[in-house]
Structures are given as C-alpha cells and as structure tokens.
Amino acid sequence: QLLLLATMTINNIHLKREINRTAFISSLPTELRCKIFSFVEASDHLLPPCLLLSHVTHSWRQEIMACSE
C-alpha cells in the first residue's frame, strides 16, 4: 500500500510538471524569464521575492537558482 501511494505521488508530480510546461510563460526563453524574475520587488511577505518565486514550480526554482549565479 505504501508503494502504491509513493507511485501515485511520483505520477502526480510528473503530471503537474507536464501541465506547467504547457503554460504560456514556459514558452518564453529562459533569459527573458530571468529578466522578468529580476523585476519582482519585495512585498509585504517576510521572504525574499526569489524565495517566493522558487515555490511556484520546479522549473522556476531551477531557473531562479541559475539566474542568481
């Protein structure tokens, strides 16, 4: 039963990533997305903007980390 749950969770993650890849912003070049991310300003949140954005999707997290290097 635990193995079934783990398999379902992995499949769900893959499905979400596939759906995210079809979003309009995903069709933009990585360089442009990095430029857009750089315009995000601090808001009332306690966390820095890059940390907030990194929680949107797996690919955004990877890109934000790459942009900050």
Side-chain angles (χ1 to χ4, degrees):
Q1 193 172 21
L2 187 59
L3 180 59
L4 177 61
L5 180 60
T7 303
M8 289 172 53
T9 301
I10 290 171
N11 288 340
N12 191 24
I13 290 170
H14 289 300
L15 177 61
K16 286 180 180 180
R17 286 183 183 170
E18 198 58 41
I19 290 169
N20 289 337
R21 276 191 271 271
T22 64
F24 171 74
I25 195 165
S26 297
S27 67
L28 299 175
T30 302
E31 298 80 15
L32 183 55
R33 284 193 301 267
C34 284
K35 189 69 169 173
I36 292 169
F37 295 153
S38 73
F39 287 112
V40 177
E41 296 180 10
S43 61
D44 294 336
H45 291 65
L46 298 175
L47 299 174
C50 60
L51 190 57
L52 290 171
L53 287 171
S54 71
H55 284 80
V56 176
T57 69
H58 176 76
S59 61
W60 281 30
R61 183 169 36 261
Q62 290 178 319
E63 289 176 14
I64 289 167
M65 289 190 303
C67 291
S68 63
E69 293 177 349

